Amino acid sequence: MSDTRRRVKVYTLNEDRQWDDRGTGHVSSTYVERLKGMSLLVRAESDGSLLLESKINPNTAYQKQQDTLIVWSEAENYDLALSFQEKAGCDEIWEKICQVQGKDPSVEVTQDLIESEEEHIEEMPETSPLIDLPTCELNKLEEIADLVTSVLSSPIRREKLALALENEGYIKKLLQLFQVCENLENTEGLHHLYEIIRGILFLNKATLFEVMFSDECIMDVVGCLEYDPSLAQPKRHREFLTKTAKFKEVIPITDSELRQKIHQTYRVQYIQDIILPTPSVFEENFLSTLTSFIFFNKVEIVSMLQEDEKFLSEVFAQLTDEATDDDKRCELVNFFKEFCAFSQTLQPQNRDAFFKTLAKLGILPALEIVMGMDDLQVRSAATDIFSYLVEFSPSMVREFVMQEAQQSDDDILLINVVIEQMICDTDPELGGAVQLMGLLRTLIDPENMLATANKTEKSEFLNFFYNHCMHVLTAPLLANTSEDKCEKDAVVGSTKSNTICPGALRFMRRIIGLKDEFYNRYITKGNLFEPVINALLDNGTRYNLLNSAVIELFEFIRVEDIKSLIAHIVENFYNALESIEYVQTFKGLKTKYEQEKDRQTQKLNSVPSILRSNRFRRDARALEEDEEMWFNEDEEEEGEAVVPPVEKSKQEDDFPDSYEKFMETKKAKESEDKENLPKRTSAGGFKFTFSHSASAANGANGANSKSVAAQTSPASSNGSSSKNTTLTTAVTATKGSLVGLVDYPDDEDDDEEEETSPRKRPRLGS
């Protein structure tokens, strides 16, 4: 049988009035023909042999005790007991007994007990006479060790022995004998004391632990556990605890009770983790109370420290004081690390109060200081503390860094300190960097961000992160893809060189692979395909990794039918790409573009003219808030993108030296364009000059198919082309704006403000 509910131990009362364990098995109630009645049968779990066969006599008094015991007498001086592993099993058998005797199962005794039966049956419960302990003498140590070892297999006898040890003050007497044995160098006696003390620990009684782990007794308990008979030489645990392990008070602890509790917890933890051997399967539950003892000690320590705000305030003050020496600061950080580790034992509501107390006292500003220090050990401990805080409440950390940004420079923001530590990790295995990366991912994960009626954490924090932190996070990528870091690939037979940045190409491919329209709009708005196509065309006919990577990028866009990117590529770059025929990728993009354009035209034609005149627009309220903000921003920022002339040979002339120069050039050009509208001309000599008319998109302007330096003129609204003008200074061309799949001819009537912009959005449907 495998049902643990019916698993029992069978006990019989011997001549000395002690309960003997007859074995473990599984009990059942069944009709036995030989006994002519319902009977209790117990078969041994080891070999199936019959441990007990007892007829349920209608007149026998059965007694239920302690929820898991059934006791009865079958003959004079022959008492039996079944000890169940589970209460449910005891209840089932008790119901069978009551059913046979016609009794209510709610009773605890099925028959009125006669005086002789009371004497026998009352010896089983807790109130029965305790185990008689041998006198605590040197010559009795072996007998005591045998007694303690023998009771471990019987829950009932363990209880009795624990009560006897507690009532007679026996443990202190044993520890006095230990001192005698050690003074006499009585090795045999010390070995017996090891077995005795270890056995008492396995009794798993908190009341005994209170005695054994008191200041008066604990070091002698550790001493007894040094003399393991299986070891050739005793261990030196007491020497380690008193001399090697030093208790450091980072700030003097005035509460003597707190200090004593800290000492006790450390020593008991040492006993459990270091001294006691790993328990066997049989012993694994014997030390559950010891684990609980340590657990509740830690809870008490955290509570006492948390309530002493004067102590914690002083710790924070020294931690952030520039005058504090490095060794002291290291001790303070390690104290907080252990303090936070202890807090994991608290209940959720208590842990919440704990971290709120730390936040109130300034744990995050303190971490900001110590995480930027040179000492690796201090930084590591500070990172562990930060991980506890992020795990507890990412929102609390986000709120702090956003408030901090209003008063501090970006370079010293806590989250930027974390990013810099992640980037600059000196560990070859990047252990610290991986840990910080996980914490950063948690902080910027929109899934755990809160949203309330008056505040959206997602939009607020992500906006903050992009404005104040993104440049720090992307700095290594930008440095890796800067011109002086990129690989120079000389064109055979040409004096021209091509700058290839494989790190940037892989990054762009990964972004496009997300198929996120937010990123797609960013790519088209910034005209980020231009350098990719330039690199492809400059690479010429060479079949290499760069060629394959770029082709795969465009093939992915074609296969996944990413409409916004297809429209942008075809409308702006197809003239330069249509000559590439060794793959069908670009012709496929054009086909996809035209198919989508036809679909949109058909949709437009299917709408009645009266509806078309009203333009059948969506209500702005139907747009999500962030989408609307982006479109508005796009209209305002629509301007010009810097495009370097082919003739320039120096890299420094290709682009503005700084963002400020770029903005100055941009603003100047915008003003110039607005003044000259509608006589705007397109500059010649660029790698790209965008065509925004349908004819340009369809390849009406004959472009040089082998070089991106094709000079194409945007067609005017009446179909005439403007003159090409070559500029001698760094000039700009119109930045690629959003491309809508459907637009309507009468947009000009309502959007008067757009008439002052350099160019209207390209229309596919006109």
Side-chain angles (χ1 to χ4, degrees):
M1 294 175 66
S2 59
D3 190 355
T4 58
R5 291 180 305 167
R6 297 292 186 90
R7 190 167 184 261
V8 295
K9 279 187 177 293
V10 180
Y11 293 94
T12 59
L13 195 67
N14 61 27
E15 294 178 355
D16 298 324
R17 315 306 295 164
Q18 298 291 328
W19 289 98
D20 290 336
D21 184 353
R22 293 298 184 184
T24 302
H26 292 84
V27 64
S28 62
S29 60
T30 186
Y31 184 86
V32 177
E33 183 66 29
R34 181 174 60 82
L35 299 177
K36 303 297 183 185
M38 291 294 294
S39 303
L40 297 176
L41 303 180
V42 179
R43 294 194 176 275
E45 65 180 3
S46 58
D47 56 7
S49 60
L50 197 62
L51 296 178
L52 175 69
E53 184 180 65
S54 173
K55 180 181 177 181
I56 302 175
N57 192 313
N59 300 317
T60 297
Y62 291 84
Q63 187 173 13
K64 184 182 179 185
Q65 301 176 4
Q66 304 173 32
D67 290 332
T68 56
L69 286 172
I70 298 177
V71 186
W72 73 99
S73 296
E74 285 203 344
E76 187 175 357
N77 295 330
Y78 187 69
D79 295 342
L80 289 166
L82 294 178
S83 176
F84 289 78
Q85 180 171 329
E86 296 183 16
K87 179 180 181 297
C90 183
D91 292 341
E92 289 176 6
I93 296 299
W94 183 249
E95 287 180 8
K96 296 289 185 183
I97 294 171
C98 291
Q99 184 179 353
V100 171
Q101 294 196 346
K103 301 293 182 179
D104 187 342
S106 63
V107 301
E108 293 187 349
V109 181
T110 61
Q111 303 289 338
D112 292 333
L113 298 174
I114 61 176
E115 186 176 350
S116 60
E117 288 177 327
E118 287 183 14
E119 292 176 0
H120 294 159
I121 292 179
E122 285 179 357
E123 289 182 0
M124 191 67 187
E126 300 267 4
T127 55
S128 62
L130 301 174
I131 290 178
D132 290 328
L133 292 170
T135 55
C136 197
E137 300 173 354
L138 286 176
N139 58 355
K140 296 285 187 179
L141 286 176
E142 183 176 3
E143 184 181 343
I144 298 169
D146 291 340
L147 172 64
V148 172
T149 304
S150 68
V151 303
L152 294 179
S153 60
S154 167
I156 297 172
R157 298 192 72 194
R158 288 208 308 267
E159 293 285 337
K160 289 185 177 183
L161 178 59
L163 286 172
L165 291 169
E166 184 180 351
N167 292 341
E168 298 183 21
Y170 207 76
I171 292 175
K172 291 185 178 179
K173 296 177 183 177
L174 287 169
L175 296 178
Q176 290 173 358
L177 281 184
F178 164 72
Q179 294 176 3
V180 172
C181 286
E182 198 165 42
N183 290 334
L184 296 174
E185 297 183 356
N186 184 345
T187 304
E188 184 180 358
L190 292 169
H191 287 169
H192 289 318
L193 281 164
Y194 170 87
E195 298 291 349
I196 293 168
I197 295 300
R198 179 175 176 273
I200 293 175
L201 286 172
F202 282 169
L203 292 179
N204 210 22
K205 281 294 177 182
T207 51
L208 299 181
F209 292 161
E210 292 290 348
V211 177
M212 299 174 76
F213 301 148
S214 65
D215 284 348
E216 180 184 357
C217 299
I218 190 167
M219 295 310 292
D220 286 334
V221 169
V222 172
C224 291
L225 295 173
E226 291 178 353
Y227 292 94
D228 185 347
S230 63
L231 300 176
Q233 294 293 329
K235 295 288 187 180
R236 298 183 178 274
H237 298 302
R238 285 172 294 175
E239 182 178 330
F240 175 83
L241 289 173
T242 56
K243 296 181 180 179
T244 307
K246 296 295 183 182
F247 177 63
K248 295 181 179 179
E249 295 184 60
V250 291
I251 301 292
I253 297 176
T254 55
D255 189 337
S256 59
E257 182 184 356
L258 173 59
R259 188 187 298 107
Q260 186 274 334
K261 189 69 66 176
I262 294 172
H263 282 300
Q264 184 188 61
T265 304
Y266 175 79
R267 290 164 180 169
V268 176
Q269 187 89 58
Y270 182 86
I271 290 173
Q272 183 186 48
D273 295 343
I274 306 299
I275 299 179
L276 291 177
T278 304
S280 64
V281 175
F282 176 70
E283 300 168 337
E284 62 184 1
N285 293 323
F286 283 4
L287 295 174
S288 59
T289 304
L290 182 61
T291 302
S292 298
F293 183 91
I294 296 170
F295 173 86
F296 288 113
N297 261 20
K298 290 181 177 180
V299 171
E300 194 171 349
I301 290 170
V302 172
S303 300
M304 294 171 75
L305 284 172
Q306 185 180 341
E307 292 167 4
D308 190 350
E309 290 197 8
K310 182 179 178 182
F311 173 83
L312 289 178
S313 298
E314 180 62 24
V315 174
F316 276 112
Q318 292 201 22
L319 186 62
T320 56
D321 188 352
E322 294 182 0
T324 304
D325 63 70
D326 292 344
D327 291 340
K328 181 70 171 180
R329 184 173 280 110
C330 184
E331 292 175 3
L332 290 164
V333 173
N334 284 327
F335 161 77
F336 268 116
K337 176 183 174 182
E338 193 166 0
F339 193 25
C340 290
F342 273 28
S343 73
Q344 302 307 295
T345 62
L346 297 174
Q347 294 297 319
Q349 64 272 20
N350 295 333
R351 191 159 64 246
D352 183 70
F354 168 78
F355 281 110
K356 284 182 178 177
T357 299
L358 291 187
K360 177 183 174 184
L361 291 170
I363 184 68
L364 287 168
L367 282 179
E368 189 173 66
I369 294 173
V370 296
M371 287 187 76
M373 293 183 174
D374 295 332
D375 190 303
L376 180 61
Q377 188 178 0
V378 170
R379 290 206 312 266
S380 177
T383 300
D384 290 336
I385 297 170
F386 186 64
S387 69
Y388 284 120
L389 295 170
V390 172
E391 181 182 353
F392 164 70
S393 176
S395 294
M396 180 181 75
V397 179
R398 294 187 197 111
E399 184 177 359
F400 167 78
V401 295
M402 284 192 289
Q403 291 175 353
E404 181 190 29
Q406 300 172 8
Q407 305 168 358
S408 306
D409 295 334
D410 287 357
D411 292 343
I412 61 173
L413 293 180
L414 173 60
I415 196 165
N416 284 341
V417 172
V418 170
I419 293 172
E420 288 168 2
Q421 293 298 330
M422 177 183 72
I423 294 170
C424 303
D425 186 14
T426 56
D427 181 5
E429 297 182 357
L430 299 177
V434 171
Q435 183 183 10
L436 290 170
M437 180 181 67
L439 298 176
L440 185 62
R441 178 178 292 179
T442 301
L443 288 175
I444 62 176
D445 182 5
E447 297 300 321
N448 63 35
M449 294 183 184
L450 304 176
T452 60
N454 58 356
K455 172 172 100 166
T456 304
E457 188 181 32
K458 183 188 297 187
S459 60
E460 287 187 4
F461 182 76
L462 291 181
N463 189 45
F464 156 82
F465 187 82
Y466 278 108
N467 288 333
H468 298 276
C469 309
M470 184 57 78
H471 67 282
V472 181
L473 183 61
T474 57
L477 179 66
L478 297 176
N480 188 49
T481 56
S482 63
E483 295 182 8
D484 58 335
K485 292 287 185 181
C486 293
E487 176 187 354
K488 302 290 184 178
D489 186 11
V491 178
V492 178
S494 171
T495 59
K496 181 175 62 175
S497 65
N498 178 40
T499 302
I500 302 171
C501 299
L505 186 61
R506 284 196 296 266
F507 182 62
M508 188 172 183
R509 173 61 178 85
R510 190 68 178 265
I511 291 176
I512 291 174
L514 297 174
K515 296 190 287 188
D516 187 321
E517 278 304 306
F518 183 85
Y519 290 116
N520 293 344
R521 287 194 299 270
Y522 187 87
I523 289 170
T524 57
K525 179 182 174 184
N527 192 28
L528 301 183
F529 277 109
E530 179 183 352
V532 176
I533 295 174
N534 285 340
L536 175 65
L537 295 178
D538 287 346
N539 191 55
T541 58
R542 283 172 295 172
Y543 182 64
N544 52 21
L545 185 61
L546 173 65
N547 177 274
S548 299
V550 175
I551 295 296
E552 191 278 333
L553 174 70
F554 288 105
E555 181 67 15
F556 176 82
I557 295 170
R558 185 192 69 81
V559 171
E560 296 297 325
D561 197 16
I562 306 176
K563 294 179 174 59
S564 60
L565 297 184
I566 291 174
H568 175 74
I569 294 165
V570 172
E571 290 178 358
N572 295 300
F573 307 112
Y574 187 70
N575 288 344
L577 296 171
E578 64 180 341
S579 63
I580 299 178
E581 297 182 345
Y582 54 87
V583 291
Q584 297 302 306
T585 298
F586 301 107
K587 288 188 177 354
L589 288 172
K590 180 70 179 297
T591 302
K592 291 263 188 186
Y593 169 78
E594 291 176 340
Q595 289 172 349
E596 180 62 25
K597 187 177 177 182
D598 290 342
R599 277 196 296 270
Q600 296 300 332
T601 302
Q602 290 172 7
K603 282 184 181 180
L604 183 61
N605 292 336
S606 66
V607 177
S609 59
I610 189 171
L611 294 180
R612 286 203 300 273
S613 65
N614 291 328
R615 301 189 308 174
F616 212 66
R617 278 188 164 179
R618 286 191 297 171
D619 191 333
R621 289 173 296 182
L623 292 172
E624 292 185 9
E625 183 180 354
D626 56 345
E627 296 278 6
E628 184 68 13
M629 289 172 61
W630 189 90
F631 277 107
N632 292 339
E633 180 185 350
D634 180 60
E635 292 293 339
E636 294 170 3
E637 294 183 358
E638 221 173 40
E640 319 243 330
V642 172
V643 185
V646 169
E647 289 81 8
K648 295 287 185 180
S649 60
K650 294 183 180 179
Q651 291 182 358
E652 60 268 18
D653 291 334
D654 288 348
F655 297 95
D657 292 337
S658 65
Y659 179 72
E660 287 76 10
K661 279 189 179 181
F662 164 67
M663 291 304 295
E664 290 173 5
T665 306
K666 179 176 184 287
K667 289 177 181 177
K669 187 59 183 173
E670 283 179 349
S671 301
E672 179 185 336
D673 287 344
K674 287 180 180 179
E675 291 173 2
N676 297 331
L677 196 79
K679 296 181 179 180
R680 256 177 99 174
T681 61
S682 173
F686 296 106
K687 289 197 172 182
F688 283 106
T689 303
F690 297 150
S691 296
H692 289 285
S693 67
S695 60
N698 291 322
N701 300 323
N704 184 347
S705 60
K706 296 192 177 182
S707 173
V708 118
Q711 299 183 1
T712 57
S713 303
S716 62
S717 59
N718 60 7
S720 63
S721 61
S722 59
K723 295 181 179 180
N724 293 333
T725 303
T726 303
L727 303 181
T728 58
T729 59
V731 293
T732 57
T734 302
K735 184 187 225 180
S737 58
L738 276 177
V739 179
L741 291 180
V742 180
D743 210 341
Y744 300 92
D746 53 352
D747 274 353
E748 292 88 345
D749 298 334
D750 291 348
D751 299 334
E752 296 178 359
E753 292 182 3
E754 293 187 2
E755 293 179 0
T756 61
S757 63
R759 289 202 180 129
K760 293 294 293 178
R761 290 182 183 171
R763 298 185 181 84
L764 305 187
S766 58

